[in-house]
């Protein structure tokens, strides 16, 4: 009983949200580097290149680029067994279509991985975490162009070869399914790496075509990664928000089914190697001529993932609406990127400051959902609470609310392992250190055990200090999750 002895306890971040150094070491601009700061309920804007006078919070972030050794030492003090981050594509290939990789960028990650191994920390690495080179989005319209499949595969191959023996656990695209929203240009650029406008009537078609091209790229990368090193474990990364039907009304059950189709067809493809029938029929009804050859279908079949990685923050509840008799799955997502327009409030759950329902038991349900559907090992690679933290006069941050959130979710995770028998490799909470929010560009939306002295206005000296939750998580790891 209990978690496996080699359970991968740790934390997760993304390169563009903490590294900074956006134009240092030969790095080129990424799609994250043209997104301005937003706020709670205030969307980020996308600019045509990097413009003077705009506030781009990812440019400095928390300057992990120069602080990674001290930050990793703090993770080691907590007892991390693993640390999930990403490789900034434009740090390796500044434009994305370069003939040769940037050696200085490759060396940075060599040094970072060496530092992690010094402390016995296993890297868990995402290849594309919302940070495609901006040049590929601008010149090729991202993954709408089949050539970007080869650019990504080249990038992946370079990383697999360079870091053979240093990295075992990989994921191809972060939260690849979030682009199912296709409601705003921000969604399409961040997840789908496609430049468009909010009111483009072709956004949904573009989402499907670019998404299919990403899935082809992922499948090819999986095959190459296995050929380079048979020990590689290469997974998907799904932004998972489990769906509950509002009632036992059969129409609500069909709406629930449609919502799962709408959001998780990406997971079906990556985990089974098959384009699901419900998706093919939807394309047929809509008249979408998706460019997908028989050879590409075979690549997808051969490039199934080894494990299912997923994020979990909240659940959603959906209900049938009058006039929605076709149980279609083309509804748009709202600005939170996770919930569809037929969402209804769950009266049994409270919400975070950002309106996200807090549902620990939903994590246990999620683990069972993945197990029942795909029968693969799993890794939770994001789970955490964004909150406004208050620093006291003595420098302390008493984040008992964060401890309570994580305790309840880890307890549900433990029950899924002990009582339901799910095959769980590890737990990477989001995020062990305060970083820039991907959705809003805020610093004041804090997740970490480690406080970074910087606010939304960019003020602060970037000094690090421990919150109350730091020692709590250290004890959780010491006891392998037995004492929460």
């Amino acid at each position: 009983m209990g978690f496996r002895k080699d359970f991968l306890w740790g934390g997760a971040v993304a390169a563009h949200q903490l590294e900074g150094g956006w134009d240092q070491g030969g790095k080129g601009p990424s799609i994250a580097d043209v997104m301005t700061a937003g706020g709670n309920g205030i969307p980020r804007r996308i600019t045509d290149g990097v413009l003077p006078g705009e506030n781009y919070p990812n440019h400095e972030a928390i300057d992990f680029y120069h602080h990674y050794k001290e930050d990793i030492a703090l993770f080691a003090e907590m007892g991390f067994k693993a640390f999930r981050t990403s490789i900034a594509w434009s740090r390796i290939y500044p434009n994305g279509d370069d003939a040769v990789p940037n050696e200085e960028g490759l060396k940075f990650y060599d040094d970072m991985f060496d530092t992690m191994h010094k402390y016995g920390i296993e890297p868990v690495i995402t290849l594309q975490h919302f940070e495609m080179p901006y040049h590929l989005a601008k010149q090729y319209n991202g993954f709408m162009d089949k050539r970007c499949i080869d650019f990504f595969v080249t990038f992946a191959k370079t990383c697999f070869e360079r870091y053979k023996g240093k990295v075992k656990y990989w994921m191809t695209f972060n939260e690849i399914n979030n682009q199912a929203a296709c409601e705003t240009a921000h969604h399409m650029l961040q997840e789908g790496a496609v430049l468009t406008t909010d009111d483009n009537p072709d956004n949904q078609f573009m989402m499907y075509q670019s998404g299919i091209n990403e899935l082809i790229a992922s499948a090819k990368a999986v095959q190459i990664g296995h050929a380079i090193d048979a020990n590689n474990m290469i997974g998907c990364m799904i932004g998972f928000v489990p769906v509950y039907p509002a009632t036992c009304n059969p129409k609500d059950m069909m709406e629930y089914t449609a919502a799962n189709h709408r959001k998780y067809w990406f997971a079906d493809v990556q985990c089974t190697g098959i384009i699901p029938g419900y998706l093919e029929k939807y394309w047929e009804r809509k008249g979408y001529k998706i460019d997908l050859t028989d050879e590409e279908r075979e690549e997808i079949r051969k490039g199934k993932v080894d494990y299912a990685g997923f994020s979990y923050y909240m659940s959603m509840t959906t209900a049938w609406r009058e006039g929605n008799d076709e149980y279609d799955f083309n509804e748009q997502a709202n600005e939170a990127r996770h919930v569809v327009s037929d969402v209804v409030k769950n009266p049994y759950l409270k919400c975070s400051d950002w309106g996200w329902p807090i549902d620990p038991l939903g994590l246990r349900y999620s683990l069972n959902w993945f197990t029942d559907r795909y029968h693969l090992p799993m890794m939770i690679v994001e789970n955490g609470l964004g909150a406004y933290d208050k620093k006291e006069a003595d420098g302390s941050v008493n984040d008992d609310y964060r401890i309570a959130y994580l305790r309840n979710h880890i307890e549900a995770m433990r029950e899924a392992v002990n009582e339901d028998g799910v095959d769980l490799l590890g737990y990477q909470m989001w995020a062990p250190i305060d970083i820039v929010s991907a959705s809003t560009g805020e610093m004041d939306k804090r997740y970490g055990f480690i406080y970074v002295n910087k606010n939304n206005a960019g003020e602060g000296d970037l000094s690090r200090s421990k919150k109350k939750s730091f020692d709590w998580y250290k004890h959780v790891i010491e006891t392998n999750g037995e004492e929460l």
Side-chain angles (χ1 to χ4, degrees):
M1 300 292 285
F3 297 110
R4 57 204 302 160
K5 291 182 179 180
D6 60 350
F7 193 75
L8 295 174
W9 292 101
V13 297
H16 70 97
Q17 292 175 256
L18 88 164
E19 277 185 8
W22 77 281
D23 60 351
Q24 298 180 41
K27 181 182 179 297
S30 78
I31 55 176
D33 292 324
V34 298
M35 292 186 183
T36 66
N40 193 349
I42 304 171
R44 304 181 75 172
R45 291 181 296 106
I46 300 163
T47 59
D48 187 6
V50 176
L51 304 179
E54 294 283 2
N55 179 10
Y56 300 105
N58 298 71
H59 285 192
E60 181 187 52
I62 63 166
D63 197 25
F64 182 79
Y65 187 70
H66 295 105
H67 292 263
Y68 69 91
K69 290 185 178 180
E70 65 186 83
D71 290 340
I72 292 172
L74 285 168
F75 301 154
E77 186 179 339
M78 274 188 282
F80 275 27
K81 309 301 182 186
F83 174 51
R84 179 197 170 213
T85 186
S86 59
I87 294 174
W89 187 348
S90 63
R91 200 175 288 286
I92 308 305
Y93 287 95
N95 296 301
D97 59 359
D98 312 80
V100 296
N102 171 36
E103 176 60 28
E104 193 171 352
L106 289 166
K107 181 66 166 53
F108 169 74
Y109 292 108
D110 268 323
D111 294 344
M112 185 179 75
F113 297 149
D114 289 344
T115 302
M116 293 166 64
H117 284 298
K118 169 185 168 183
Y119 295 107
I121 297 174
E122 189 81 37
V124 178
I125 301 303
T126 313
L127 287 168
Q128 205 272 41
H129 193 134
F130 306 160
E131 50 202 348
M132 176 185 242
Y134 179 65
H135 173 76
L136 295 185
K138 184 72 173 176
Q139 297 301 317
Y140 298 86
N141 205 16
F143 277 97
M144 279 302 291
D145 192 313
K146 293 279 187 182
R147 288 174 290 181
C148 283
I149 297 174
D150 294 330
F151 297 144
F152 177 81
V153 171
T154 297
F155 163 59
K157 183 173 183 288
T158 298
C159 293
F160 290 141
E161 290 177 339
R162 178 69 174 233
Y163 306 120
K164 180 179 179 180
K166 292 188 178 184
V167 179
K168 174 183 178 180
Y169 294 98
W170 300 87
M171 286 170 283
T172 51
F173 291 86
N174 180 72
E175 292 188 332
I176 187 171
N177 60 308
N178 280 359
Q179 61 194 286
C182 66
E183 185 179 49
T184 70
H186 177 268
H187 299 151
M188 295 292 283
L189 181 61
Q190 192 175 53
E191 286 92 2
V194 174
L195 284 171
T196 186
T197 58
D198 291 354
D199 57 354
N200 187 343
D202 293 328
N203 274 354
Q204 191 179 80
F205 168 77
M206 293 169 67
M207 179 273 292
Y208 284 117
Q209 183 63 72
S210 62
I212 284 294
N213 290 342
E214 286 176 283
L215 291 167
I216 296 166
S218 174
K220 287 186 173 183
V222 168
Q223 295 173 71
I224 290 172
H226 287 156
I228 291 170
D229 189 346
N231 292 318
N232 278 337
M233 289 282 289
I234 308 171
C236 59
M237 198 307 207
I238 301 300
F240 195 66
V241 182
V243 183
Y244 304 148
T247 72
C248 55
N249 182 337
K251 291 184 176 180
D252 283 354
M253 288 300 297
M254 285 306 302
E255 194 64 35
Y256 148 86
T257 301
N260 277 305
H261 289 171
R262 187 161 52 230
K263 284 289 290 180
Y264 303 121
W265 65 272
F266 291 89
D268 285 351
V269 173
Q270 288 186 294
C271 294
T272 70
I274 298 169
I275 307 294
Y278 64 78
L279 190 61
E280 302 264 24
K281 282 295 184 181
Y282 182 70
W283 291 343
E284 182 181 317
R285 291 200 307 276
K286 296 291 288 187
Y288 291 160
K289 304 297 182 183
I290 302 297
D291 185 358
L292 177 62
T293 67
D294 289 341
E295 291 77 14
E296 290 170 335
R297 289 176 184 270
E298 180 63 13
E299 294 285 0
I300 288 172
R301 187 191 67 78
K302 292 187 296 185
K304 292 183 290 186
V305 295
D306 301 313
Y307 69 95
F310 68 95
S311 61
Y312 176 82
Y313 295 95
M314 60 182 171
S315 60
M316 76 175 207
T317 305
T318 190
W320 172 81
R321 293 177 295 113
E322 191 69 34
N324 195 20
D325 292 323
E326 294 184 3
Y327 310 110
D328 221 341
F329 59 101
N330 66 336
E331 293 299 326
Q332 308 289 314
N334 75 0
E335 63 182 1
R337 298 179 301 137
H338 294 291
V339 293
V340 292
S341 59
D342 50 7
V343 69
V344 296
K345 182 176 176 59
N346 189 327
Y348 300 100
L349 301 176
K350 295 181 179 179
C351 293
S352 73
D353 290 336
W354 276 262
W356 293 11
I358 298 173
D359 180 13
L361 194 57
L363 180 54
R364 181 177 176 180
Y365 170 76
S366 300
L367 289 162
N368 278 276
W369 188 94
F370 275 95
T371 296
D372 294 346
R373 200 172 181 102
Y374 305 126
H375 307 287
L376 288 173
M378 291 166 289
M379 192 184 302
I380 299 165
V381 293
E382 291 185 27
N383 172 239
L385 177 68
Y388 293 112
D389 289 342
K390 180 183 178 183
K391 196 164 190 179
E392 305 294 344
D394 63 358
S396 64
V397 177
N398 299 310
D399 55 341
D400 295 283
Y401 41 86
R402 180 168 293 110
I403 292 172
Y405 177 97
L406 294 173
R407 176 189 291 120
N408 292 337
H409 283 77
I410 293 172
E411 185 175 18
M413 177 177 79
R414 187 172 61 190
E415 290 170 351
V417 171
N418 287 341
E419 299 181 28
D420 307 328
V422 304
D423 186 2
L424 188 60
L425 302 172
Y427 174 79
Q428 310 296 314
M429 62 76 61
W430 185 274
I433 187 169
D434 294 341
I435 57 177
V436 173
S437 169
S439 58
T440 66
E442 295 175 276
M443 272 300 302
D444 291 341
K445 184 183 184 183
R446 299 180 183 274
Y447 285 85
F449 304 127
I450 301 166
Y451 186 92
V452 178
N453 184 23
K454 184 178 182 180
N455 61 22
N456 283 356
E459 301 164 338
D461 62 4
L462 296 175
S463 60
R464 275 67 160 157
S465 59
K466 302 172 187 176
K467 303 178 189 178
K468 184 176 181 179
S469 56
F470 184 100
D471 288 326
W472 173 82
Y473 195 54
K474 178 180 180 180
H475 186 70
V476 170
I477 297 174
E478 286 174 345
T479 63
N480 199 26
E482 289 304 308
E483 296 181 15
L484 304 178

